[in-house]
Amino acid sequence: MRTLEEKATSEWIRFQEEIGIDILVDGEQYRGDMATYFAENLEGTEISGLVRSYGNRYYKKPIIVDELKRRGPISVDWFTFAQAQTERPVKGMITGPYTMMDWSFDEYYGSRADACLAFAKLLHEEAVALEAAGAKVVQVDEPALSTRFDELPLLVKAVGIVTKGLTAKTVLHTCYGNYNEIFDYFNQLPVDQLDLEMSNSGLDLLERFKREPLKKEIAFGVVDVHSHVIEPESLIRERIEKALTIFSPAKLYIDPDCGLKTRSVEEAQGKLRNMVAAARAVRKARGLT
Amino acid sequence: MVQTTVVGTYPRIGETFEEQALRRGIARLDRGEIGEADLQVVERDTVRDVLREQNEIGIDLVTDGQISWYDSQSHFAGKLTSIEINGLVRYFDTNTYYRQPVVSGAVGWKEPVFVDEWKFAQSNSKAPVKAVLTGPVTLASLALDKHYRSKKTLALDLATAIGEEVGTLVQAGASHVQIDEPILTRHPNDLSLVSESLERIRSHKSSATLTLFTFFGDVATIYKDLAEVPADILGLDLVQGSATWTPLAKHGSTKPLVLGLVDARNTKEEDPAAIAKKALDLKSAIDLKSSYLSPSNGLEFLPRDRARKKLRILRAAAKKVGVGA
C-alpha cells in the first residue's frame, strides 16, 4: 500500500509542477479522512463506523476514549517524501484542533473546550516537527470553523496554540460556512493567510471585504470542488479579476475552494489546469510577476 | 408506561457489505450504470431494513429514516414551485451539509412528495410510521430568498405548501405527523411565526396527531409559550438542549411530550436507569403515559451499530419507567 501511495503522491507532485503551481500539496493520498488520519495516529482514540457527511459521502469518525497523547510525528515523513520530489515549497497540512474535536465523538473529556485544547497541544508539536523538517508553509484546516459561533473564541485560542512560535508561513483553511456570521473573527485568527472557499459561495463576501479589509493574505478559492463542471479559464479569470478589485496582488493567492478528492482525476486536473492558466493570463495582462 | 419513538433520520449505511447497498447503488447511479427506478428498489430495501430494526427493538412509533432524502431542506423544497437547489451549506452545528434552496418566485405545492414513501414504509412496519416534515420557518430561514425578501411571508407560503402535503399524507392514512423546527433553538423569537404557520398546517391534519419537534439546542427562554403552540405533542431535545429541563420541570406540560433524553450526537452509552430516572422525575409535571422517550435528534449522526445501541437503551429506559411509574 505504501508503494502505491508513494507512487500516487509522486504523480500528483509532478502534475502540479508541470502545470506550474507555485506552492504544492502532497495530495494526502495516504489519508482516508482528514480527521480520522490524525486521530488514528494518536493515543486515546478509536475509530467509529461510517457516518454521513453529505450526499453519498461518509467518513469514519474518531471516538475519544482516553486521554489524547501523541506517539510521535504523524505527517512528517510524508511531508519529507513529497518535499524531496520538488524544489518548490510543499505545504505541511494539519487538521485543526477545533475540527478534530468537533468531528470526534467524545467519551472521555466531557467538555468540548477540554477536548479541543488537548488536540491543540498535540497538533502544535506536529506543526513544530513539520517546520523542523523544512516546511515553509504550514496549513491548519478548520472546515468546522463556522460550526458554533459562540465557540469562535475557543477556535482562535486553539489555533493560536498550534501556530505559536512558528516561523513558517501559517495558513488557515475553511469552507462551506456562513462567513458573514464569522467575518469579525477573520482578522483575529492567529495565522498569516486565510484560505477561503469563494466560488461555491458565489463570491458574496467580496463586498464585505471591501468595507472591512482583511489584514492578512488571502488564498481565494476560484473553482468549485463539488461540481463536475470544469470551469473554463475565462470564468476563473473573471473571478480572479473580481478578487483583484479588493485584494492587492501581493496578498492574493489563487487556489481551488477546497481539497479535490471528491472529483475524478480528469476533473481535478482540468480544474487545476484552467486555474493556473487563468492566473497566468491575469498576471500577464497586468504585468505582474 | 411511557412509549418510545425516534425523531426522523436513521443511518443509511452500516459496516457490513449488505448494509452498504444504498451507498453502492448511489455510486452506480452516479456512474450511469443504473437508473432512478433501480435506485428506488435499493432505497426501499434500506427503508425495509431500517423499519425492521426499529420494530425488532420495540420502538412504538417509528419513521422511514428519511432514507430517500438528500437532506432535510432540499428534498421537499426542491419539489415546490419557484425553488431551485444550490450549493452546500453547513446544517446547523453538525458535520453535515445541505444543498441550499434558492427561492426565485412565489412558492407553491405541486404534487405529493412523501405519500408514496410513507405508504411503502407503513406497509412494511408493524408500528405506526410517523410522517416527518421540515417545518416552514426552518425551511425559510435556511433558504436563500431572492423573491419575498421577508422570512415571514416565505414561511407562511411554505406552511401552506406543507399543509397541502400533510393533507395528502393524512388522507393516505398517516396518523402521526411531525413538523421539525430546529430553528427555534437558534431564533426563539420565531416562535410566533412558528405558531402562525402551524395553524395553517393544522387545518389539514384532520384527526392525525401533530407533533412539533425542536432539536440541536434548548428552548428554555420560550418554553412556557412553546407549550401553547397549536400542536398536539411537543418534542424536546433534552441533551444539547438540557437547559430546557429547568422550565420544563417547573411548568410541566398539559400536552404529551417527546422527551429527547438519549444523546443522538455522541456514541457514549447512557445507563437506561439514569434515563428512566430523569423521565420519572417529571412524573408529577407531565402525563408520562401519553408521552414518549426518544433520541435527542435524528440518528443519522451516529454509526448504524451505535444507533441501534441507542435505541436499545431507549427501549430499556422506557421499560424501567414502566416499572417505576
Side-chain angles (χ1 to χ4, degrees):
Chain A
M1 194 64 181
R2 172 88 191 190
T3 313
L4 288 171
E5 288 166 349
E6 286 185 358
K7 184 169 173 279
T9 304
S10 300
E11 283 170 6
W12 279 114
I13 292 280
R14 210 156 45 242
F15 174 76
Q16 293 173 83
E17 274 199 327
E18 275 168 19
I19 63 168
I21 289 186
D22 301 304
I23 302 166
L24 280 54
V25 291
D26 69 8
E28 303 179 17
Q29 303 298 299
Y30 51 92
R31 301 186 190 184
D33 167 81
M34 61 186 289
T36 311
Y37 169 72
F38 281 93
E40 64 194 3
N41 283 294
L42 293 171
E43 280 181 29
T45 63
E46 288 175 4
I47 304 302
S48 82
L50 290 159
V51 180
R52 184 169 177 253
S53 172
Y54 68 93
N56 208 24
R57 304 280 168 196
Y58 295 82
Y59 67 109
K60 286 180 181 277
K61 200 165 161 172
I63 308 175
I64 306 169
V65 293
D66 204 343
E67 186 182 356
L68 293 168
K69 289 180 187 160
R70 183 168 168 268
R71 293 189 198 106
I74 298 168
S75 59
V76 176
D77 67 328
W78 275 110
F79 166 77
T80 307
F81 174 82
Q83 188 62 80
Q85 322 259 320
T86 178
E87 298 290 312
R88 298 181 192 190
V90 174
K91 287 197 266 193
M93 305 287 282
I94 290 176
T95 303
Y98 185 81
T99 298
M100 287 300 302
M101 174 277 292
D102 191 61
W103 291 8
S104 299
F105 296 118
D106 175 25
E107 299 190 7
Y108 177 76
Y109 289 97
S111 143
R112 288 169 64 84
D114 289 352
C116 179
L117 297 175
F119 275 122
K121 197 168 139 252
L122 305 180
L123 294 168
H124 172 67
E125 293 170 19
E126 182 70 8
V128 169
L130 281 165
E131 188 176 78
K136 301 277 186 290
V137 182
V138 173
Q139 178 170 316
V140 180
D141 289 332
E142 287 285 16
L145 178 140
S146 59
T147 306
R148 297 189 185 186
F149 306 131
D150 59 335
E151 288 182 342
L152 282 165
L154 172 64
L155 179 134
V156 170
K157 185 177 175 186
V159 172
I161 291 171
V162 177
T163 58
K164 191 176 179 191
L166 295 182
T167 53
K169 179 180 283 189
T170 51
V171 181
L172 186 135
H173 165 72
T174 191
C175 46
Y176 309 112
N178 184 343
Y179 289 156
N180 272 318
E181 296 274 356
I182 58 179
F183 197 92
D184 291 340
Y185 279 84
F186 281 166
N187 279 322
Q188 290 181 42
L189 292 166
V191 290
D192 303 312
Q193 184 183 97
L194 197 56
D195 177 21
L196 297 178
E197 154 257 335
M198 298 294 278
S199 63
N200 182 63
S201 301
L203 308 174
D204 295 339
L205 267 193
L206 276 177
E207 278 305 310
R208 183 118 191 234
F209 275 124
K210 199 175 191 173
R211 295 195 303 274
E212 299 163 62
L214 184 69
K215 293 174 187 147
K216 305 174 185 304
E217 292 181 351
I218 185 163
F220 192 94
V222 290
V223 291
D224 184 354
V225 302
H226 291 291
S227 160
H228 293 291
V229 177
I230 296 173
E231 294 89 341
E233 184 189 320
S234 56
L235 176 65
I236 302 172
R237 200 173 155 173
E238 268 174 42
R239 289 173 177 171
I240 298 173
E241 291 288 359
K242 271 188 195 153
L244 280 166
T245 62
I246 310 290
F247 303 106
S248 76
K251 288 197 163 183
L252 177 66
Y253 290 72
I254 300 301
D255 66 355
D257 274 352
C258 191
L260 285 156
K261 80 169 181 181
T262 58
R263 298 279 57 84
S264 70
V265 170
E266 293 72 25
E267 287 165 357
Q269 290 184 340
K271 281 172 186 275
L272 289 177
R273 271 202 188 93
N274 287 357
M275 183 187 85
V276 174
R280 279 191 174 147
V282 173
R283 274 186 197 151
K284 196 174 168 197
R286 290 174 168 250
L288 302 167
T289 50
Chain B
M1 174 174 136
V2 71
Q3 300 177 81
T4 52
T5 189
V6 288
V7 181
T9 60
Y10 199 82
R12 289 147 209 258
I13 67 168
E15 294 311 295
T16 66
F17 181 81
E18 293 75 22
E19 286 174 351
Q20 296 192 354
L22 184 57
R23 191 186 196 186
R24 287 193 299 277
I26 293 171
R28 292 188 69 195
L29 180 81
D30 287 346
R31 291 196 298 266
E33 293 169 11
I34 62 170
E36 293 283 352
D38 303 309
L39 182 67
Q40 196 191 48
V41 172
V42 184
E43 272 176 359
R44 292 198 158 186
D45 285 346
T46 308
V47 170
R48 224 180 261 125
D49 291 344
V50 163
L51 289 163
R52 196 194 62 245
E53 287 182 15
Q54 295 174 81
N55 282 180
E56 281 174 3
I57 292 168
I59 302 302
D60 299 302
L61 179 60
V62 301
T63 70
D64 68 357
Q66 301 177 351
I67 296 301
S68 67
W69 296 34
Y70 186 90
D71 59 58
S72 62
Q73 308 301 302
S74 64
H75 183 67
F76 181 68
K79 295 177 185 76
L80 301 177
T81 57
S82 309
I83 294 188
E84 298 287 323
I85 301 303
N86 204 352
L88 292 168
V89 180
R90 179 183 301 285
Y91 180 52
F92 286 89
D93 60 344
T94 71
N95 319 333
T96 65
Y97 300 82
Y98 67 91
R99 290 212 174 266
Q100 190 176 38
V102 180
V103 180
S104 58
V107 167
W109 184 81
K110 284 188 285 195
E111 57 192 1
V113 176
F114 297 112
V115 172
D116 286 347
E117 293 171 14
W118 180 83
K119 278 185 187 164
F120 174 80
Q122 189 58 76
S123 67
N124 283 280
S125 173
K126 286 185 296 188
V129 175
K130 177 165 61 174
V132 180
L133 294 92
T134 304
V137 182
T138 299
L139 281 175
S141 302
L142 302 194
L144 184 61
D145 172 18
K146 293 185 172 177
H147 173 71
Y148 293 86
R149 312 282 178 188
S150 150
K151 186 161 96 172
K152 183 176 179 180
T153 323
L154 170 57
L156 292 176
D157 274 6
L158 284 164
T160 302
I162 291 168
E164 297 279 350
E165 184 72 21
V166 167
T168 63
L169 281 161
V170 172
Q171 210 168 14
S175 57
H176 289 79
V177 175
Q178 177 178 303
I179 303 295
D180 291 342
E181 289 286 17
I183 199 70
L184 278 175
T185 64
R186 299 298 185 276
H187 299 292
N189 292 342
D190 282 339
L191 180 59
S192 58
L193 182 54
V194 167
S195 283
E196 194 176 344
S197 58
L198 275 176
E199 285 291 358
R200 293 195 179 192
I201 296 167
R202 190 180 174 81
S203 63
H204 296 267
K205 81 165 188 96
S206 187
S207 62
T209 302
L210 184 66
T211 299
L212 171 69
F213 215 115
T214 66
F215 46 82
F216 296 151
D218 73 85
V219 284
T221 58
I222 52 169
Y223 175 76
K224 234 179 130 181
D225 294 329
L226 183 67
E228 304 302 317
V229 293
D232 306 309
I233 298 181
L234 198 56
L236 301 169
D237 168 354
L238 295 169
V239 178
Q240 200 176 342
S242 58
T244 307
W245 186 265
T246 305
L248 165 60
K250 185 178 170 192
H251 300 294
S253 172
T254 52
K255 288 187 173 71
L257 298 181
V258 185
L259 303 168
L261 283 166
V262 172
D263 192 346
R265 295 189 62 179
N266 199 359
T267 48
K268 191 168 187 178
E269 290 171 31
E270 292 91 346
D271 174 5
I275 301 288
K277 184 183 177 305
K278 281 190 174 174
L280 285 166
D281 284 347
L282 294 172
K283 199 161 64 174
S284 56
I286 67 169
D287 178 22
L288 276 177
K289 278 201 179 84
S290 58
S291 293
Y292 295 81
L293 295 188
S294 81
S296 51
N297 47 253
L299 288 162
E300 73 168 333
F301 308 104
L302 293 171
R304 184 110 159 231
D305 58 341
R306 300 292 186 131
R308 281 192 290 259
K309 276 188 186 165
K310 293 281 183 174
L311 288 185
R312 288 196 191 98
I313 290 167
L314 193 67
R315 178 72 182 148
K319 277 188 181 167
K320 286 183 187 294
V321 171
V323 173

